[in-house]
Amino acid sequence: MILLVIFAFSALVIAHEFGHFIVAKRNGIKVYEFGIGFPPKAFGIKRGGTEYTFNWLPLGGFVRLEGEENESKTASSFATKSVWVKTKVLMAGVTMNFAIAWVLLTILCVVGMANIFPFDLPRAGSIQPIAAGPNRLVVYSVNPDSAAKGIGLQNGDEIKRIDGVAPQNEEELRSTTRDRAGKTVDITYVRQGEEITRSAILGSDANKGILGVAALSQQRQRYELWVAPLASLTLMWKTIVVSVPMFFSSIASIFTTAKVNDGLVGPIGIAAAAPQVIQFGWDYFVALIASISLSLAILNSLPIPALDGGRLAVILLRRAGVPLKDHHESWAHTIGFVALMGLGIIVAISDVSRIWR
């Protein structure tokens, strides 16, 4: 599963770079190299003036354009193209990631998905969700040394009945177990389509958890085929509105509290969480990939030096008459790159510490 996440993440990065590549080619910019993975190089094939390389570190990809560092001023150089062409090339990768997220979320909106977002699914005018399945009470956390742990309940299991009572939400679950505290009960749950019944002795201390689980009431919902693309766009917009302030707040928190917020995770944290996510269903995994793609698009759109948005910001500032020299731009992007690498290391350390916690 972790390898699947690494592959998916790499594919999203390669798709991003392919956006830059294809738009650069179509606008007469020479592409020196299109790389799959990162050096050291395993082997390469040269076609049409571009070397297509396959590298040993399978964590994404890259493109090298003529003039991207303003080192060349020929007709085929990125540096000599118009602001409009430069904008298209720089934003092509972002557009690819937005498009992938939109397609994946549209598919989920058509086939049905549980609401895994920190806000309600879109409801506006004709954009209305339709129930795509029965209500399910799904376990998302199991306490150690609990009755639930003793009978093997796991994240993603659906609780069906407790002594014949079918709780519909977490409140009803707690009420049902509270009434039977300290007693032996039959718990029926579903795992990967198989219904299982086990006997368990419930705890007697509500503060420690009588059953010892946290559960979430879920009902998969879908949209009409013609509405789904609009619903997915609305989901993307709502995600952007929530995630951008959260990102900057998390960055600020690193400086003010010397801690990384739980909401800020990197590739290691995502890979570690993936096996748990898939337990809830493949729609969760597809939504995770869509979220990663959307996050890549959002991050690269921000006006941060070394990112696509930062490079575009410099171009627009120059267009507006700000006297920025080539070495100013080079230093800005170098500092931005170092800062991003530092942030990546901090987040990676935080991810590892959470895993071992």
Side-chain angles (χ1 to χ4, degrees), residues 1 4-6 8-9 12 100-101 104-105 108 113 116-117 265-267 269-278 281-296:
M1 178 54 63
L4 181 59
V5 174
I6 293 174
F9 181 81
L12 292 175
I100 291 170
L104 292 178
L105 290 175
L108 289 178
M113 62 177 172
I116 60 175
F117 301 93
V265 297
I270 293 171
Q276 299 178 21
V277 170
I278 196 62
W282 278 98
D283 54 334
Y284 280 79
F285 183 73
V286 173
L288 174 64
I289 300 306
S291 297
I292 295 172
S293 188
L294 185 57
S295 296
L296 286 172

Short mmCIF file of all heavy atoms in Angstrom, two decimals, residues 1 4-6 8-9 12 100-101 104-105 108 113 116-117 265-267 269-278 281-296:
data_model
loop_
_atom_site.label_atom_id
_atom_site.label_comp_id
_atom_site.label_asym_id
_atom_site.label_seq_id
_atom_site.Cartn_x
_atom_site.Cartn_y
_atom_site.Cartn_z
N MET A 1 0.82 -1.20 0.00
CA MET A 1 0.00 0.00 0.00
C MET A 1 0.86 1.27 0.00
O MET A 1 0.57 2.23 -0.69
CB MET A 1 -0.93 -0.02 1.21
CG MET A 1 -1.81 1.23 1.34
SD MET A 1 -2.75 1.60 -0.16
CE MET A 1 -3.77 0.13 -0.22
N LEU A 4 2.12 1.82 -3.31
CA LEU A 4 1.07 2.34 -4.18
C LEU A 4 0.95 3.86 -4.03
O LEU A 4 0.79 4.59 -5.01
CB LEU A 4 -0.26 1.67 -3.86
CG LEU A 4 -1.47 2.09 -4.71
CD1 LEU A 4 -1.20 1.81 -6.19
CD2 LEU A 4 -2.73 1.37 -4.24
N VAL A 5 1.06 4.34 -2.79
CA VAL A 5 1.00 5.79 -2.55
C VAL A 5 2.21 6.48 -3.18
O VAL A 5 2.08 7.54 -3.80
CB VAL A 5 0.95 6.08 -1.04
CG1 VAL A 5 1.05 7.58 -0.78
CG2 VAL A 5 -0.34 5.55 -0.44
N ILE A 6 3.40 5.88 -3.02
CA ILE A 6 4.61 6.45 -3.63
C ILE A 6 4.45 6.52 -5.14
O ILE A 6 4.79 7.53 -5.78
CB ILE A 6 5.85 5.62 -3.25
CG1 ILE A 6 6.12 5.75 -1.74
CG2 ILE A 6 7.07 6.08 -4.05
CD1 ILE A 6 7.24 4.86 -1.25
N ALA A 8 1.60 6.64 -6.83
CA ALA A 8 0.57 7.63 -7.17
C ALA A 8 1.14 9.04 -7.04
O ALA A 8 0.90 9.90 -7.91
CB ALA A 8 -0.64 7.45 -6.26
N PHE A 9 1.89 9.30 -5.96
CA PHE A 9 2.48 10.62 -5.76
C PHE A 9 3.45 10.94 -6.90
O PHE A 9 3.44 12.05 -7.44
CB PHE A 9 3.20 10.67 -4.42
CG PHE A 9 3.83 12.00 -4.11
CD1 PHE A 9 3.07 13.05 -3.61
CD2 PHE A 9 5.19 12.22 -4.33
CE1 PHE A 9 3.64 14.28 -3.34
CE2 PHE A 9 5.77 13.45 -4.06
CZ PHE A 9 4.99 14.48 -3.56
N LEU A 12 1.61 11.84 -10.04
CA LEU A 12 1.05 13.19 -10.01
C LEU A 12 2.13 14.23 -10.31
O LEU A 12 1.88 15.22 -11.01
CB LEU A 12 0.43 13.46 -8.64
CG LEU A 12 -0.83 12.65 -8.30
CD1 LEU A 12 -1.27 12.93 -6.87
CD2 LEU A 12 -1.97 12.97 -9.27
N ILE A 100 -6.57 16.63 -12.84
CA ILE A 100 -6.60 15.27 -12.29
C ILE A 100 -7.51 15.22 -11.07
O ILE A 100 -8.33 14.30 -10.93
CB ILE A 100 -5.18 14.81 -11.93
CG1 ILE A 100 -4.35 14.60 -13.20
CG2 ILE A 100 -5.21 13.52 -11.11
CD1 ILE A 100 -2.87 14.37 -12.95
N ALA A 101 -7.37 16.21 -10.17
CA ALA A 101 -8.23 16.25 -8.98
C ALA A 101 -9.70 16.37 -9.39
O ALA A 101 -10.57 15.69 -8.81
CB ALA A 101 -7.83 17.43 -8.10
N LEU A 104 -10.99 12.94 -10.80
CA LEU A 104 -11.16 11.94 -9.75
C LEU A 104 -12.36 12.26 -8.86
O LEU A 104 -13.16 11.37 -8.51
CB LEU A 104 -9.89 11.84 -8.90
CG LEU A 104 -8.65 11.27 -9.60
CD1 LEU A 104 -7.46 11.27 -8.65
CD2 LEU A 104 -8.91 9.86 -10.11
N LEU A 105 -12.51 13.53 -8.47
CA LEU A 105 -13.64 13.91 -7.64
C LEU A 105 -14.96 13.80 -8.39
O LEU A 105 -15.99 13.45 -7.80
CB LEU A 105 -13.45 15.33 -7.11
CG LEU A 105 -12.35 15.50 -6.06
CD1 LEU A 105 -12.17 16.97 -5.70
CD2 LEU A 105 -12.67 14.69 -4.80
N LEU A 108 -15.97 10.21 -8.23
CA LEU A 108 -16.52 9.91 -6.90
C LEU A 108 -17.92 10.48 -6.75
O LEU A 108 -18.80 9.86 -6.13
CB LEU A 108 -15.62 10.46 -5.81
CG LEU A 108 -14.28 9.75 -5.61
CD1 LEU A 108 -13.46 10.45 -4.53
CD2 LEU A 108 -14.48 8.29 -5.24
N MET A 113 -19.79 8.62 -2.62
CA MET A 113 -18.70 8.66 -1.65
C MET A 113 -19.23 9.14 -0.31
O MET A 113 -20.25 9.80 -0.22
CB MET A 113 -17.59 9.62 -2.13
CG MET A 113 -18.03 11.06 -2.27
SD MET A 113 -16.69 12.14 -2.77
CE MET A 113 -17.59 13.67 -3.05
N ILE A 116 -15.91 12.95 3.43
CA ILE A 116 -14.64 12.92 4.16
C ILE A 116 -14.04 14.32 4.27
O ILE A 116 -12.90 14.47 4.70
CB ILE A 116 -13.64 12.00 3.44
CG1 ILE A 116 -13.38 12.52 2.02
CG2 ILE A 116 -14.15 10.57 3.41
CD1 ILE A 116 -12.32 11.74 1.28
N PHE A 117 -14.82 15.33 3.89
CA PHE A 117 -14.32 16.70 3.89
C PHE A 117 -14.73 17.41 5.19
O PHE A 117 -15.72 17.03 5.82
CB PHE A 117 -14.88 17.46 2.69
CG PHE A 117 -14.50 16.85 1.37
CD1 PHE A 117 -15.34 15.94 0.75
CD2 PHE A 117 -13.31 17.18 0.75
CE1 PHE A 117 -14.99 15.36 -0.46
CE2 PHE A 117 -12.96 16.62 -0.47
CZ PHE A 117 -13.80 15.70 -1.06
N VAL A 265 1.14 17.66 6.96
CA VAL A 265 1.85 16.39 6.79
C VAL A 265 2.53 16.38 5.43
O VAL A 265 2.12 17.07 4.50
CB VAL A 265 0.90 15.18 6.91
CG1 VAL A 265 0.29 15.09 8.28
CG2 VAL A 265 -0.20 15.25 5.84
N GLY A 266 3.57 15.57 5.35
CA GLY A 266 4.32 15.43 4.11
C GLY A 266 4.13 14.05 3.51
O GLY A 266 3.26 13.27 3.95
N PRO A 267 4.93 13.71 2.50
CA PRO A 267 4.81 12.40 1.85
C PRO A 267 4.92 11.22 2.81
O PRO A 267 4.22 10.22 2.66
CB PRO A 267 5.97 12.42 0.84
CG PRO A 267 6.19 13.86 0.54
CD PRO A 267 5.92 14.58 1.84
N GLY A 269 4.10 11.13 6.05
CA GLY A 269 2.86 11.04 6.81
C GLY A 269 1.72 10.50 5.99
O GLY A 269 0.90 9.71 6.46
N ILE A 270 1.65 10.93 4.73
CA ILE A 270 0.58 10.46 3.84
C ILE A 270 0.74 8.96 3.58
O ILE A 270 -0.24 8.20 3.63
CB ILE A 270 0.60 11.24 2.51
CG1 ILE A 270 0.22 12.70 2.77
CG2 ILE A 270 -0.35 10.61 1.50
CD1 ILE A 270 0.41 13.60 1.56
N ALA A 271 1.96 8.53 3.30
CA ALA A 271 2.21 7.11 3.03
C ALA A 271 1.87 6.26 4.25
O ALA A 271 1.32 5.16 4.13
CB ALA A 271 3.66 6.90 2.62
N ALA A 272 2.20 6.77 5.44
CA ALA A 272 1.92 6.02 6.67
C ALA A 272 0.42 5.92 6.93
O ALA A 272 -0.06 4.92 7.47
CB ALA A 272 2.62 6.68 7.85
N ALA A 273 -0.33 6.96 6.55
CA ALA A 273 -1.78 6.97 6.80
C ALA A 273 -2.56 6.17 5.76
O ALA A 273 -3.70 5.75 6.02
CB ALA A 273 -2.29 8.41 6.82
N ALA A 274 -1.96 5.94 4.60
CA ALA A 274 -2.67 5.29 3.50
C ALA A 274 -3.27 3.93 3.85
O ALA A 274 -4.41 3.64 3.51
CB ALA A 274 -1.77 5.17 2.28
N PRO A 275 -2.51 3.03 4.53
CA PRO A 275 -3.11 1.73 4.88
C PRO A 275 -4.37 1.85 5.73
O PRO A 275 -5.29 1.05 5.61
CB PRO A 275 -1.98 1.02 5.64
CG PRO A 275 -0.72 1.65 5.14
CD PRO A 275 -1.09 3.09 4.92
N GLN A 276 -4.41 2.86 6.61
CA GLN A 276 -5.60 3.08 7.41
C GLN A 276 -6.73 3.65 6.57
O GLN A 276 -7.89 3.28 6.74
CB GLN A 276 -5.28 4.02 8.57
CG GLN A 276 -4.22 3.49 9.53
CD GLN A 276 -3.91 4.48 10.64
OE1 GLN A 276 -4.70 5.36 10.93
NE2 GLN A 276 -2.74 4.32 11.24
N VAL A 277 -6.38 4.54 5.64
CA VAL A 277 -7.39 5.15 4.79
C VAL A 277 -8.10 4.10 3.95
O VAL A 277 -9.33 4.10 3.82
CB VAL A 277 -6.75 6.22 3.88
CG1 VAL A 277 -7.74 6.70 2.81
CG2 VAL A 277 -6.27 7.40 4.72
N ILE A 278 -7.34 3.17 3.37
CA ILE A 278 -7.92 2.18 2.47
C ILE A 278 -8.86 1.24 3.21
O ILE A 278 -9.76 0.65 2.60
CB ILE A 278 -6.81 1.38 1.76
CG1 ILE A 278 -7.36 0.63 0.54
CG2 ILE A 278 -6.14 0.43 2.72
CD1 ILE A 278 -7.91 1.51 -0.52
N GLY A 281 -12.41 2.06 2.56
CA GLY A 281 -12.95 1.85 1.21
C GLY A 281 -12.09 2.51 0.16
O GLY A 281 -11.32 3.45 0.44
N TRP A 282 -12.23 2.03 -1.07
CA TRP A 282 -11.42 2.58 -2.17
C TRP A 282 -11.80 4.01 -2.50
O TRP A 282 -10.99 4.76 -3.05
CB TRP A 282 -11.56 1.69 -3.41
CG TRP A 282 -10.66 0.51 -3.34
CD1 TRP A 282 -10.99 -0.76 -2.95
CD2 TRP A 282 -9.26 0.48 -3.62
NE1 TRP A 282 -9.88 -1.57 -2.97
CE2 TRP A 282 -8.80 -0.84 -3.39
CE3 TRP A 282 -8.34 1.44 -4.04
CZ2 TRP A 282 -7.47 -1.21 -3.56
CZ3 TRP A 282 -7.01 1.06 -4.21
CH2 TRP A 282 -6.60 -0.25 -3.97
N ASP A 283 -13.04 4.42 -2.18
CA ASP A 283 -13.40 5.81 -2.44
C ASP A 283 -12.56 6.76 -1.58
O ASP A 283 -12.20 7.86 -2.01
CB ASP A 283 -14.89 6.04 -2.20
CG ASP A 283 -15.36 5.60 -0.82
OD1 ASP A 283 -14.72 4.71 -0.23
OD2 ASP A 283 -16.37 6.15 -0.35
N TYR A 284 -12.20 6.31 -0.38
CA TYR A 284 -11.34 7.12 0.47
C TYR A 284 -9.95 7.25 -0.15
O TYR A 284 -9.34 8.32 -0.10
CB TYR A 284 -11.21 6.49 1.87
CG TYR A 284 -12.38 6.78 2.77
CD1 TYR A 284 -13.57 6.08 2.66
CD2 TYR A 284 -12.29 7.76 3.76
CE1 TYR A 284 -14.64 6.35 3.49
CE2 TYR A 284 -13.35 8.04 4.59
CZ TYR A 284 -14.52 7.33 4.46
OH TYR A 284 -15.59 7.60 5.28
N PHE A 285 -9.44 6.16 -0.71
CA PHE A 285 -8.11 6.21 -1.30
C PHE A 285 -8.10 7.12 -2.54
O PHE A 285 -7.18 7.91 -2.73
CB PHE A 285 -7.65 4.81 -1.69
CG PHE A 285 -6.26 4.76 -2.24
CD1 PHE A 285 -5.16 4.93 -1.41
CD2 PHE A 285 -6.04 4.58 -3.61
CE1 PHE A 285 -3.87 4.91 -1.92
CE2 PHE A 285 -4.76 4.56 -4.13
CZ PHE A 285 -3.67 4.72 -3.28
N VAL A 286 -9.15 7.00 -3.37
CA VAL A 286 -9.24 7.86 -4.56
C VAL A 286 -9.34 9.33 -4.13
O VAL A 286 -8.71 10.21 -4.73
CB VAL A 286 -10.45 7.47 -5.43
CG1 VAL A 286 -10.64 8.47 -6.57
CG2 VAL A 286 -10.26 6.07 -6.00
N ALA A 287 -10.12 9.59 -3.08
CA ALA A 287 -10.23 10.95 -2.56
C ALA A 287 -8.89 11.44 -2.03
O ALA A 287 -8.56 12.63 -2.18
CB ALA A 287 -11.30 11.01 -1.47
N LEU A 288 -8.11 10.55 -1.42
CA LEU A 288 -6.77 10.92 -0.94
C LEU A 288 -5.88 11.34 -2.10
O LEU A 288 -5.19 12.37 -2.02
CB LEU A 288 -6.14 9.74 -0.20
CG LEU A 288 -4.68 9.92 0.25
CD1 LEU A 288 -4.58 11.04 1.27
CD2 LEU A 288 -4.12 8.61 0.81
N ILE A 289 -5.90 10.57 -3.19
CA ILE A 289 -5.08 10.91 -4.36
C ILE A 289 -5.54 12.23 -4.95
O ILE A 289 -4.71 13.08 -5.34
CB ILE A 289 -5.15 9.79 -5.41
CG1 ILE A 289 -4.64 8.47 -4.84
CG2 ILE A 289 -4.33 10.17 -6.65
CD1 ILE A 289 -3.26 8.54 -4.24
N ALA A 290 -6.85 12.44 -5.03
CA ALA A 290 -7.38 13.71 -5.54
C ALA A 290 -6.92 14.87 -4.65
O ALA A 290 -6.55 15.94 -5.15
CB ALA A 290 -8.90 13.67 -5.60
N SER A 291 -6.91 14.65 -3.34
CA SER A 291 -6.49 15.69 -2.40
C SER A 291 -5.01 16.02 -2.57
O SER A 291 -4.61 17.18 -2.50
CB SER A 291 -6.76 15.25 -0.96
OG SER A 291 -8.14 15.06 -0.74
N ILE A 292 -4.20 14.98 -2.80
CA ILE A 292 -2.76 15.21 -3.01
C ILE A 292 -2.55 16.03 -4.28
O ILE A 292 -1.76 16.97 -4.31
CB ILE A 292 -2.00 13.88 -3.10
CG1 ILE A 292 -2.06 13.14 -1.76
CG2 ILE A 292 -0.54 14.11 -3.49
CD1 ILE A 292 -1.49 11.73 -1.81
N SER A 293 -3.26 15.65 -5.34
CA SER A 293 -3.13 16.37 -6.61
C SER A 293 -3.56 17.83 -6.45
O SER A 293 -2.88 18.75 -6.94
CB SER A 293 -3.98 15.70 -7.70
OG SER A 293 -3.72 16.26 -8.97
N LEU A 294 -4.67 18.04 -5.75
CA LEU A 294 -5.15 19.41 -5.52
C LEU A 294 -4.16 20.18 -4.66
O LEU A 294 -3.90 21.36 -4.90
CB LEU A 294 -6.52 19.36 -4.86
CG LEU A 294 -7.23 20.71 -4.64
CD1 LEU A 294 -7.38 21.46 -5.95
CD2 LEU A 294 -8.59 20.49 -3.98
N SER A 295 -3.57 19.51 -3.66
CA SER A 295 -2.58 20.17 -2.80
C SER A 295 -1.35 20.59 -3.59
O SER A 295 -0.80 21.69 -3.37
CB SER A 295 -2.17 19.23 -1.66
OG SER A 295 -3.27 18.94 -0.81
N LEU A 296 -0.90 19.73 -4.51
CA LEU A 296 0.24 20.09 -5.36
C LEU A 296 -0.09 21.31 -6.21
O LEU A 296 0.76 22.20 -6.38
CB LEU A 296 0.60 18.91 -6.27
CG LEU A 296 1.32 17.72 -5.61
CD1 LEU A 296 1.44 16.56 -6.60
CD2 LEU A 296 2.69 18.14 -5.10
#
